[in-house]
Amino acid sequence: MKHKSTNKPAIPFHPLIDEQPADTLSHIQTMLRFAQESATKATIDTELTPYQIRVYSKLNGLLRMINEAVEYEMERLQDYRS
């Protein structure tokens, strides 16, 4: 029978990873929002081809979808702690 390790994994040196999962998710969400705002701004401030507009639109949709999933997990963690 294997013994389950009780040691916590070491937190890697990474600017988005924090001790608490909720904090890590919050950092990830901040970066996603920055990327989403940058993609949106790029479509407004420049003249783009129809293809580039489609690419930025899809990128924006992907980022929004990922951001919503992170938000859901953050809420679920808060509920779990309660």
Side-chain angles (χ1 to χ4, degrees), residues 39 43 48-62:
T43 62
L48 300 174
T49 66
Y51 173 76
Q52 289 170 317
I53 291 170
R54 283 194 310 273
V55 168
Y56 276 114
S57 179
K58 289 177 182 180
L59 175 61
N60 198 354
L62 273 172

Side-chain angles (χ1 to χ4, degrees), residues 2-63:
K2 290 186 178 183
H3 293 284
K4 191 172 185 180
S5 176
T6 58
N7 296 339
K8 288 184 177 181
I11 297 173
F13 178 74
H14 190 285
L16 299 179
I17 297 174
D18 211 329
E19 285 188 38
Q20 298 299 319
D23 294 335
T24 299
L25 289 171
S26 178
H27 300 318
I28 293 168
Q29 189 175 47
T30 299
M31 296 306 294
L32 287 169
R33 285 184 181 143
F34 174 77
Q36 191 173 0
E37 288 172 10
S38 297
T40 300
K41 190 173 192 290
T43 62
I44 295 170
D45 292 345
T46 59
E47 291 185 29
L48 300 174
T49 66
Y51 173 76
Q52 289 170 317
I53 291 170
R54 283 194 310 273
V55 168
Y56 276 114
S57 179
K58 289 177 182 180
L59 175 61
N60 198 354
L62 273 172
L63 292 169

